[in-house]
Structures are given as C-alpha cells and as structure tokens.
Amino acid sequence: MIYTLPPLPYATDALEPKMSQETIEYHYGRHLQTYVDNLNRLITGTPFENVPLETLILTSSGPIFNNAAQVWNHTFFFNSLSPSHTEMPSYLKDLLIRDFGSVDLFKEKFKKATIEIFGSGWAWLAQDKKGKLHIIQESNAGNPIRAGYKPLLNMDVWEHAYYIDYRNRRAAFVDNCWDLINWHKVASRMTEDITVAEYTDLEGNRVDVKETVTVEIEEEQEEEPAETKRNMERYVCIICGYIYDPEEGDPENGIAPGTPFEDLPADWTCPACGVGKEHFEKER
C-alpha cells in the first residue's frame, strides 16, 4: 500500500487571513508530505506494508506510529476547516451544553487545553463509548483512538501549524481557528461510522447510533469543490515542452497526484530543464 498526500478540500489561499497561503503550503504541502514520504519508506518490506492507516496507529510504535499518526491527524485537521462560515448544528450544541455546561465553556476549556500542552501535540474533542464528550490532550503524534475514543475535532499545536502567521502566540492561533472550523463536519462525525453504541440526549432519552470498529480516513475527505476541479488544466513549459499534468503530479519532487498547477510551491521547478513556474503556460 502506497500512501499519497490526501487532497485539500479548498484552495491553499482560501483560509486567509486567519491561516495564510504560506502556512498551508508549508504545513500541508511540505510537513504532511514529509510524513507521507517517511511512512512509505518505513513500512516498505515490513509486515506493516499493506496495513490500513488506522491499524498502523493501533498496532505500531516508534517511527512508524509517529508518521502514520501524523498523516491521520493532519488529514483530520485540514478536513475540519472550511473557508465558509458554518453554524454549529443544534445537535452538537446540545451535547456540548450537556457535557461542558455551555458552548462558551467548551471553547474556554478547549482553548485552555491547547495552550497548556507543553511542547508539540494535539488537543482533541472526542466521544467515548457511552456518547460522552471529552477534551483530550495528546503530545507529539498522539491520537485518542488508541484509547477507544471517537475523534470529532482536533487542533494542531505544533509550532509549524502557527508560527508563520502568529509567531509564538498560540492562543491567538486558536482564537482565529474557531472561525474556520466546519461544525457540520464535526457534528457528522458523531453519527457516521461512530464507535459509540449509544448516548443519552438532554431529555434523558436513549438514542441508538450505529457502531463500527474503525475510522476510515478516506471517508473524512470531502469532494473537491468545483473551483478546484476547474483548475486541473495541464501546463506546458515554454522552454523545453515538459507538460505538468495535475492528475499525475510530480512525485519524484514531492508533488502528489491531484495537485493543481496553482498549488505548486513557489520554488517548484520544471523537472526537465529546471526553470520556474513563470515559464509555464496552460496547454492549448
């Protein structure tokens, strides 16, 4: 099994100004790509070579776990964000009120959890097997599925997630991320492939939901918006004639298949002759 960089469900500049294009290009395009590349290298020729990502997280340790979990964690994080403002569904609000007192108290406690993580790590909103919501702190590549929780939302507090835009102001990064969260996606995770067998609503009524044992990362990926699809044209190097095809990408230089030409890093160069992006034009 070869892992590839998962598609980003929005343009690299879509989250500005709260999360800059430069941050996305480095955080998603380089840091996440590095975890993907490292994982493929580490599992080659091992018993983990054809194992699903979630199984790697649950059964491996050391470098394989670290890179597998970071691929999962980052994919989950980027898919939790949206350039469009979304209102929190009442279903989610009710459970946050039930378990934290109010939505504002949840946000206050979640922010406190992110700020208090020493060094690098992740803050999570997760659901246990009885449906109760929890805020969980994990260091480094930690993921709550190892403890039997269903992840609903995470916040990356590795410095590479916020240092370009906010320097050492982690709290400011968290404050701005609230406006980027796709709350409909968060709420859907409580009912889609949930590991929870049941929960109790605000009136004390038992509500049954479906149960499964795995969380498929592919199902967290949203269909690419029409804007992204329109940008999948091929580009031709006017110097040597090399054709960049977004469907194929440029894997030898760290560019995953499915990467539009506009999303290529600024320092990407033609694999054939070495000139920059400014020497390319759309294929006619």
Side-chain angles (χ1 to χ4, degrees):
M1 178 181 296
I2 301 297
Y3 294 101
T4 59
L5 188 69
L8 197 65
Y10 37 77
T12 57
D13 63 349
L15 305 182
E16 291 187 329
K18 298 182 184 299
M19 192 175 294
S20 69
Q21 182 174 11
E22 184 181 9
T23 287
I24 293 293
E25 288 175 348
Y26 275 89
H27 191 187
Y28 165 79
R30 299 196 181 186
H31 283 278
L32 179 50
Q33 181 68 66
T34 297
Y35 290 127
V36 171
D37 293 341
N38 286 344
L39 180 60
N40 286 323
R41 174 177 55 82
L42 289 166
I43 63 175
T44 300
T46 75
F48 294 107
E49 190 167 13
N50 294 305
V51 172
L53 193 59
E54 294 75 25
T55 304
L56 289 180
I57 296 173
L58 292 170
T59 61
S60 66
S61 60
I64 291 179
F65 165 76
N66 289 333
N67 284 277
Q70 285 293 75
V71 171
W72 200 103
N73 295 355
H74 278 86
T75 301
F76 195 84
F77 173 68
F78 287 119
N79 283 331
S80 298
L81 306 178
S82 171
S84 302
H85 176 74
T86 60
E87 294 291 338
M88 185 181 293
S90 58
Y91 169 73
L92 177 57
K93 285 183 181 178
D94 288 346
L95 293 186
L96 291 174
I97 293 170
R98 185 195 68 183
D99 293 334
F100 299 105
S102 71
V103 174
D104 287 340
L105 279 174
F106 156 69
K107 289 184 176 180
E108 179 182 325
K109 292 176 182 179
F110 192 87
K111 178 181 176 180
K112 185 173 185 290
T114 64
I115 295 172
E116 291 182 348
I117 293 175
F118 182 76
S120 301
W122 299 82
W124 299 81
L125 173 66
Q127 197 168 31
D128 66 24
K129 292 184 178 181
K130 292 186 177 181
K132 182 177 175 61
L133 303 181
H134 301 265
I135 295 171
I136 299 172
Q137 294 172 309
E138 294 277 6
S139 61
N140 298 320
N143 187 306
I145 66 175
R146 287 167 67 93
Y149 291 94
K150 168 69 175 176
L152 305 178
L153 171 70
N154 65 349
M155 189 77 71
D156 188 347
V157 291
W158 284 65
E159 285 190 341
H160 63 239
Y162 59 86
Y163 214 81
I164 290 174
D165 297 331
Y166 300 94
R167 297 299 186 260
N168 63 337
R169 296 180 296 120
R170 181 186 288 185
F173 164 72
V174 176
D175 286 339
N176 280 285
C177 274
W178 287 123
D179 295 329
L180 298 177
I181 293 173
N182 184 341
W183 292 109
H184 292 288
K185 170 61 73 175
V186 176
S188 73
R189 289 166 175 162
M190 292 190 292
T191 55
E192 294 178 0
D193 295 327
I194 198 167
T195 56
V196 180
E198 59 186 32
Y199 74 92
T200 303
D201 64 17
L202 290 176
E203 289 72 37
N205 300 311
R206 177 177 294 179
V207 180
D208 293 327
V209 295
K210 60 182 179 179
E211 182 177 11
T212 185
V213 295
T214 60
V215 180
E216 294 293 340
I217 197 68
E218 291 81 7
E219 294 185 8
E220 300 296 346
Q221 298 170 357
E222 298 178 345
E223 182 180 355
E224 292 182 75
E227 179 181 354
T228 302
K229 292 179 180 178
R230 288 198 302 270
N231 291 335
M232 296 300 283
E233 295 98 337
R234 305 201 315 173
Y235 279 71
V236 180
C237 176
I238 61 175
I239 304 299
C240 70
Y242 169 84
I243 297 176
Y244 175 78
D245 185 350
E247 298 294 336
E248 298 178 358
D250 182 16
E252 292 185 0
N253 292 297
I255 307 300
T259 303
F261 182 84
E262 290 84 353
D263 290 349
L264 293 174
D267 60 354
W268 179 83
T269 58
C270 176
C273 68
V275 299
K277 292 173 61 179
E278 67 274 12
H279 295 288
F280 279 71
E281 62 181 18
K282 288 183 182 180
E283 185 180 44
R284 300 182 186 279

